[in-house]
């Protein structure tokens, strides 16, 4: 049998695929990468980077309006969307060279831009060229799922793939979906001056999170003027971009009209599995999902998947983690490599909501023996200094104090969760967080203060009486 031309062929040049390609090449593998559209993937062009850049401009406008909270005369800006979106484009342009074909070629990766498909279990063809490899990695990501609402397409509904191309102002945005993307964009557009109405079949925002935590975010969005229709769906949309009319149907069947200028669909994602001729490669796909084992291997043992197309949580950091797992197996043949189950995430609203491990609700539903410890930001001195006292941290431990999970809703929650991620990953106890010195005054001390609640819990009147007796203390 002829030796395959490459050690690794990567299909898809987004977060996961790029890490496989760069990592493989740096370790001495002969790597080819095929990208159908633009290197950098969703995260760079239509996801994390543009959404967080937009949210920052929106946060500045919001802070200006409410500067009196910090004893500064407020100013009501009237932001125009075009320059804000130009800033978004500028940030993307700044990052793009890092993910470009030129850079990857300079790393030794054989990059092809084109739309290819498997032509055999060990061969992928693109632009008339047949690429054979010991290992293939499918890293084709996901795309927005569009609900079958009559009139949606005709109304020029936006998705995350078209939203950041907008240059005209958006007087009234109708958002379909109140998950992380819908919530982040609802707040950003509201702060940039749009009226915003959100419709969701769920009874509240961020249904994956504990209700008490999501409620902190929801209350803030409502206070900022985002209007919600929960337990409701859109029956039809009429009109075109600029003047659209949605018929919103409540769970009681009552219909009401919502007039808006633009519609944004943020109602879930679909894995990109079409067009690759996966069946030719012997890769089983079930209900739009590639069948993978715990090691991210498909039903063809030489083909792995990483990132959103793997069908689990859809995050850039998880795609990158998958890449490392697959590289270990492809290069070092370490068959035991499988992804970590400790996956953090954050919804970047203001306040942010970040989590790792099971939530309190999940611990209950899974029947885990657990205890919960909370601490509020309004008792953290730094939060008071910053004027950001809404929210709290929640630790979920087993009865022995071992950390199972943590969630934080509040300022910079996405940064603060990192300590808990390490603690959960390493199987630490709440006491480990308590005993680590945290710089004062930091928001991060909320992790220690939440963990301290467990120590305090141990201080019952009986244990206090024993301490007093043993050590001869004289207090009350
Ligand atoms: C609005 C929004 C905000 C987000 N914010 C965050 C965030 O804050 N934090 C976070 O962690 N995640 C966030 N995500 C999710 C994150 O963008 C994805 O999880 C991440 O990009 C997945 O990486 P990937 O490599 O699987 O796919 P991608 O990065 O999307 O890369 C897939 C690549 O494959 C290419 N491709 C597709 N089909 C083919 C084919 N047939 N042949 C060749 N190439 C193909 C695509 O063009 C693309 O370049 C966000 C997503 C959205 C939509």
């Amino acid at each position: 049998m002829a030796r395959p031309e490459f050690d690794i062929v990567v299909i898809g040049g987004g977060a996961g695929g790029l890490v496989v390609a760069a990592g493989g090449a740096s370790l001495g593998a002969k790597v080819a990468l095929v990208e159908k559209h633009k290197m950098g993937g969703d995260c760079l062009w239509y996801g994390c980077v543009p959404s967080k850049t937009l949210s920052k401009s929106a946060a500045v406008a919001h802070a200006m309006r409410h500067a009196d909270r910090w004893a500064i005369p407020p100013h009501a800006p009237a932001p125009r969307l075009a320059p804000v979106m130009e800033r978004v484009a500028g940030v993307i342009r700044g990052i793009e060279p890092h993910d470009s074909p030129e850079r990857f070629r300079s790393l030794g990766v054989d990059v092809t831009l084109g739309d290819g498909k498997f032509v055999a279990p060990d061969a992928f063809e693109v632009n008339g060229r047949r690429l054979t490899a010991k290992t293939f990695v499918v890293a084709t990501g996901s795309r927005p799922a569009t609900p079958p609402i009559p009139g949606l397409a005709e109304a020029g509904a936006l998705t995350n793939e078209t939203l950041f191309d907008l240059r005209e102002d958006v007087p009234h945005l109708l958002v379909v979906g109140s998950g992380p993307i819908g919530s982040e964009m609802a707040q950003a557009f509201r702060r940039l001056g749009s009226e915003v109405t959100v419709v969701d079949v769920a009874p509240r925002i961020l249904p994956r999170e504990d209700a008490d935590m999501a409620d902190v975010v929801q209350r803030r969005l409502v206070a900022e003027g985002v209007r919600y229709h929960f337990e409701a769906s859109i029956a039809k949309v009429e009109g075109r971009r600029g003047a659209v009319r949605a018929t919103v149907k409540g769970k009681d069947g009552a219909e009401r009209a919502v007039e808006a200028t633009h519609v944004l669909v943020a109602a879930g994602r679909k894995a990109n599995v079409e067009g690759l001729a996966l069946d030719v490669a012997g890769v089983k796909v079930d209900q739009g999902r590639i069948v993978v084992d715990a090691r991210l291997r498909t039903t063809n043992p030489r083909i792995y998947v990483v990132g959103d197309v793997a069908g689990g949580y859809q995050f850039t950091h998880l795609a990158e983690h998958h890449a490392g797992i697959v590289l270990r197996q492809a290069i070092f043949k370490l068959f035991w490599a499988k992804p970590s189950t400790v996956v953090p995430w954050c919804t970047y609203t203001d306040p942010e909501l970040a989590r790792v491990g099971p939530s309190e609700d999940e611990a209950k539903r899974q029947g885990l023996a657990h205890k919960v410890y909370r601490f509020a930001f309004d008792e953290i001195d730094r939060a008071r200094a910053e004027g950001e006292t809404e929210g709290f941290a929640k630790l979920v431990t087993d009865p022995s104090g071992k950390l199972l999970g943590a969630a934080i809703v509040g300022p910079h929650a996405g940064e603060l969760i990192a300590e808990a991620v390490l603690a959960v990953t390493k199987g630490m106890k709440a006491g480990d967080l308590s005993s680590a010195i945290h710089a004062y005054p930091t928001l991060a001390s909320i992790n220690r203060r939440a963990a301290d609640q467990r120590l305090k819990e141990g201080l019952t009147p009986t244990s206090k009486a024993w301490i007093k007796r043993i050590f001869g203390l004289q207090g009350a």
Side-chain angles (χ1 to χ4, degrees):
M1 213 168 97
R3 190 182 158 96
E5 187 186 356
F6 292 96
D7 294 306
I8 305 174
V9 168
V10 183
I11 302 148
L18 292 179
V19 174
V20 175
S26 72
L27 288 166
K30 189 176 177 194
V31 181
L33 183 136
V34 180
E35 166 56 49
K36 174 165 136 174
H37 187 38
K38 292 197 276 193
M39 303 257 296
D42 255 34
C43 184
L44 174 61
W45 296 100
Y46 323 112
C48 334
V49 172
S51 59
K52 272 74 233 177
T53 308
L54 189 79
S55 291
K56 180 64 191 181
S57 291
V60 171
H62 182 74
M64 287 169 75
R65 259 178 232 123
H66 298 280
D68 49 341
R69 280 177 54 202
W70 298 278
I72 304 295
H75 171 70
R80 304 298 306 264
L81 196 60
V84 172
M85 288 299 190
E86 284 306 323
R87 176 175 172 265
V88 170
V91 171
I92 294 173
R93 273 197 305 277
I95 299 173
E96 180 191 354
H98 188 263
D99 293 352
S100 66
E102 296 72 33
R103 174 165 178 267
F104 275 75
R105 286 182 185 126
S106 78
L107 298 176
V109 177
D110 184 326
V111 178
T112 304
L113 296 178
D115 189 4
K117 61 179 187 212
F118 282 99
V119 289
D122 62 351
F124 190 85
E125 198 173 286
V126 57
N127 299 348
R129 184 178 169 206
R130 188 182 171 95
L131 306 172
T132 54
K134 286 189 219 158
T135 302
F136 289 87
V137 181
V138 177
T140 49
S142 63
R143 62 183 184 281
T146 320
I149 300 171
L152 201 56
E154 295 75 6
L158 301 155
T159 67
N160 67 294
E161 292 181 353
T162 47
L163 183 69
F164 305 105
D165 292 336
L166 277 183
R167 292 299 180 269
E168 79 253 24
D169 288 330
V170 175
H172 190 157
L173 184 66
L174 173 64
V175 183
V176 185
S178 67
I181 297 172
S183 297
E184 288 178 18
M185 292 301 94
Q187 186 175 45
F189 274 84
R190 180 71 196 125
R191 290 177 161 193
L192 289 169
S194 303
E195 294 289 313
V196 176
T197 305
V198 182
V199 178
D200 201 309
V201 288
R204 61 171 174 86
I205 72 166
L206 306 176
R208 198 197 280 175
E209 310 298 344
D210 284 345
D212 58 349
M213 310 212 82
D215 189 51
V216 175
V217 180
Q218 187 171 310
R219 275 191 278 118
R220 176 77 74 88
L221 267 71
V222 169
E224 291 183 11
V226 176
R227 287 191 290 266
Y228 284 99
H229 296 280
F230 288 119
E231 298 185 304
S233 57
I234 298 183
K236 64 177 175 186
V237 177
E238 294 158 289
R240 299 195 175 279
R241 195 182 290 176
V244 291
R245 186 173 201 271
T247 303
V248 176
K249 199 170 176 181
K251 80 170 174 181
D252 55 359
E255 290 188 348
R256 70 173 66 180
V258 173
E259 313 268 349
T261 55
H262 297 70
V263 183
L264 169 66
V265 178
R269 318 262 318 154
K270 274 177 92 163
N272 289 328
V273 296
E274 298 82 2
L276 294 164
L278 290 167
D279 53 334
V280 173
V283 173
K284 196 168 164 199
V285 178
D286 186 25
Q287 296 181 19
R289 289 181 161 209
I290 297 178
V291 176
V292 288
D293 64 15
R295 296 157 39 187
L296 299 170
R297 210 174 45 162
T298 68
T299 44
N300 175 340
R302 75 166 73 215
I303 303 181
Y304 290 81
V305 294
V306 301
D308 285 8
V309 75
Y313 292 131
Q314 297 184 327
F315 301 114
T316 292
H317 44 276
L318 188 59
E320 292 177 355
H321 176 69
H322 283 171
I325 294 297
V326 165
L327 270 179
R328 270 192 246 173
Q329 299 180 88
I331 293 186
F332 302 119
K333 309 291 176 205
L334 297 177
F335 293 122
W336 45 263
K338 57 181 188 183
S340 170
T341 52
V342 182
V343 182
W345 61 78
C346 181
T347 298
Y348 297 89
T349 44
D350 173 15
E352 295 180 355
L353 201 171
R355 175 143 76 91
V356 62
S359 66
E360 184 179 4
D361 274 357
E362 286 171 356
K364 277 184 201 148
R365 266 186 274 128
Q366 291 167 19
L368 299 175
H370 70 281
K371 304 201 88 174
V372 174
Y373 303 95
R374 287 182 175 73
F375 203 82
F377 275 103
D378 64 6
E379 291 192 67
I380 297 293
D381 293 355
R382 181 60 183 274
R384 286 186 166 268
E386 299 280 326
E388 301 281 1
T389 51
E390 259 179 278
F392 60 97
K394 196 192 267 194
L395 300 179
V396 179
T397 73
D398 75 4
S400 77
K402 187 178 158 196
L403 279 163
L404 301 174
I408 303 174
V409 59
H412 302 289
E415 310 292 335
L416 303 181
I417 202 74
E419 183 176 11
V421 175
L422 183 64
V424 175
T425 305
K426 293 294 166 198
M428 291 181 184
K429 293 193 158 194
D432 294 316
L433 292 185
S434 284
S435 61
I437 300 176
H438 289 67
Y440 178 87
T442 54
L443 295 171
S445 56
I446 197 160
N447 289 321
R448 179 178 65 76
R449 300 290 293 276
D452 286 351
Q453 300 311 300
R454 184 174 163 83
L455 293 181
K456 290 193 177 148
E457 180 189 62
L459 210 56
T460 60
T462 318
S463 61
K464 199 171 160 188
W466 275 106
I467 291 170
K468 279 175 65 183
R469 182 181 298 181
I470 293 168
F471 297 103
L473 306 180
Q474 302 172 67

